[in-house]
Amino acid sequence: MGKSSGYPPASGIKKGSWTPEEDKRLLAYIQLHGHGSWRSLPQKAGLKRCGKSCRLRWRNYLRPDIKRGNFSLHEDQTIIQLHALLGNRWSAIAAHLPKRTDNEIKNYWNANLKKRLAKIGFDPVTHKSKAAILASANGDPKKLSNLSHIAQWESARLQAEARFVKESKLRMHESAPAVSFFDDYHQLAPPLVPQCLDILEASAWESLISMSKSSSRSAALTNDINGLDHHHVHDHGLNMNGQDYGPNFQVPISDQQLSSLMGFDEATAPSVATGSMNINEHFGQYCGNECSELLVVLHQNIGFESEDAWTSLEKLM
DNA sequence: AAGTGCGGCAACCGCAAAAGG
DNA sequence: ACCTTTTGCGGTTGCCGCACT
């Protein structure tokens, strides 16, 4: 409940938890007339609430297109990935999780995901390994080099974010004008997978592949998975707007491993990448580095935290 | 059974941006 | 161009229920 419950105050405006009767009144009024001006709504609807409170109640609880209950694994991953990209911009994150509210996602992050990330050794604010942060403080040259890679990543991240914002605005303009009181909420349901994330996934895979080619330790990794079904990452859609942007690498890896590593369903992993980022420019330097470093890079870049993904990678190392 | 601690979540607050006059 | 009003957003609060002692 809100911080100032235990009223009502002298003004006659009620605060605190909503009663079923108030919910019923608000819902009935909006269904009949639309919300119109929130300021004038409470009086018209016969509610002793401020307009702001009504709006919040509708937006976070009463509107019909809200999914409540547990978050799926896929939703977890989407939130973590988007948070790595966008930070605490809950409304932007919610726009990519249909039927979830920004408030719900924010609460879920603070109460659940943030703690889980911390538990596995990652700073939930920066999405970086705590070990890497500590090492940087000690001035270790190797780790400082790693930090420069992180800085490069940040640059790529900002590019992706700029494109993301641009595309979101474009989508908003293309949306048809609202004709019913539900329509403004339908506008908040863009495609499930933000395109910028595909770039990140592609980058992470490129990194993995580069390592697999050049590191002796990773050669063993490649051998380990050579006996399984072979697929080209390219076959899974690593192209951008119909064009190949990366090199013609081929990665022997099974669908199962692919899904496990990325934490996605086989049907969707990895999805089609769009954009124009030069992957090698940002991640080619990781060729020859240790697997553990790659793990950190993967996490920093795509933010996955699926335990299955971690254990799968660890087994391969 | 009673007391205590803690996590989850609904709802509030203040500020900023957008819209309207 | 400026001022006022409205809406949206993110951070924070505190009640409620559950687990533990």
Side-chain angles (χ1 to χ4, degrees):
Chain A
M1 198 180 295
K3 62 178 178 180
S4 43
S5 34
Y7 344 88
S11 66
I13 299 294
K14 192 182 169 194
K15 294 184 182 179
S17 294
W18 280 67
T19 64
E21 175 61 26
E22 286 175 313
D23 283 347
K24 204 173 159 185
R25 274 177 185 267
L26 180 58
L27 192 58
Y29 181 86
I30 293 178
Q31 282 177 339
L32 205 58
H33 304 100
H35 60 70
S37 164
W38 286 111
R39 192 181 174 88
S40 58
L41 182 147
Q43 196 180 9
K44 291 178 185 171
L47 289 162
K48 290 178 178 177
R49 295 272 181 175
C50 68
K52 197 171 180 176
S53 177
C54 293
R55 178 186 157 269
L56 209 63
R57 184 63 178 170
W58 168 256
R59 186 177 160 75
N60 287 337
Y61 197 84
L62 291 178
R63 62 187 167 105
D65 56 337
I66 283 184
K67 179 166 81 178
R68 309 197 71 80
N70 294 341
F71 282 73
S72 68
L73 178 60
H74 188 266
E75 285 177 313
D76 284 2
Q77 289 160 348
T78 304
I79 294 168
I80 291 166
Q81 289 166 345
L82 285 169
H83 188 270
L85 252 184
L86 304 170
N88 291 357
R89 288 157 61 184
W90 304 114
S91 61
I93 293 172
H96 291 270
L97 285 159
K99 302 187 177 184
R100 296 290 190 184
T101 69
D102 52 358
N103 200 45
E104 189 178 17
I105 293 168
K106 177 176 60 179
N107 285 334
Y108 184 60
W109 171 266
N110 286 325
N112 196 314
L113 295 179
K114 193 163 85 174
K115 291 170 188 170
R116 278 160 60 191
L117 272 185
K119 200 174 176 180
I120 62 169
F122 283 84
D123 180 16
V125 177
T126 62
H127 289 251
K128 289 169 186 169
S129 145
K130 284 173 183 169
I133 293 168
L134 284 172
S136 73
N138 293 334
D140 180 332
K142 190 180 172 185
K143 298 298 178 183
L144 284 173
S145 157
N146 189 35
L147 279 182
S148 80
H149 298 162
I150 292 169
Q152 282 187 321
W153 160 249
E154 183 65 10
S155 164
R157 187 184 73 80
L158 289 171
Q159 285 177 28
E161 183 174 348
R163 185 160 49 248
F164 171 69
V165 169
K166 191 179 166 187
E167 286 167 356
S168 295
K169 284 181 178 172
L170 205 63
R171 269 198 295 275
M172 289 292 280
H173 282 112
E174 285 166 2
S175 299
V179 292
S180 77
F181 69 94
F182 295 135
D183 282 5
D184 51 338
Y185 293 105
H186 291 161
Q187 287 178 13
L188 297 175
L192 271 172
V193 181
Q195 292 178 337
C196 56
L197 289 182
D198 294 325
I199 297 170
L200 307 189
E201 288 168 22
S203 306
W205 275 103
E206 180 78 4
S207 182
L208 177 62
I209 289 148
S210 298
M211 261 208 55
S212 148
K213 281 178 169 176
S214 57
S215 158
S216 59
R217 196 169 171 188
S218 297
L221 180 154
T222 304
N223 287 335
D224 281 348
I225 54 185
N226 255 338
L228 304 171
D229 291 336
H230 288 203
H231 289 274
H232 300 167
V233 163
H234 184 272
D235 287 342
H236 287 278
L238 190 62
N239 56 38
M240 299 174 179
N241 292 332
Q243 293 179 305
D244 289 336
Y245 277 76
N248 288 326
F249 52 80
Q250 295 184 349
V251 175
I253 190 165
S254 71
D255 276 333
Q256 193 183 3
Q257 284 179 310
L258 200 60
S259 308
S260 177
L261 288 170
M262 297 300 286
F264 283 112
D265 296 331
E266 285 186 24
T268 59
S271 49
V272 175
T274 57
S276 59
M277 194 169 82
N278 184 335
I279 292 167
N280 261 348
E281 186 181 323
H282 293 287
F283 295 99
Q285 303 169 55
Y286 286 100
C287 299
N289 286 350
E290 293 299 308
C291 280
S292 57
E293 192 170 349
L294 174 63
L295 273 176
V296 172
V297 175
L298 277 169
H299 183 90
Q300 285 163 348
N301 295 343
I302 61 176
F304 74 77
E305 65 88 57
S306 156
E307 285 188 19
D308 286 344
W310 283 105
T311 50
S312 298
L313 279 169
E314 281 164 7
K315 277 179 192 169
L316 289 169
M317 289 183 359

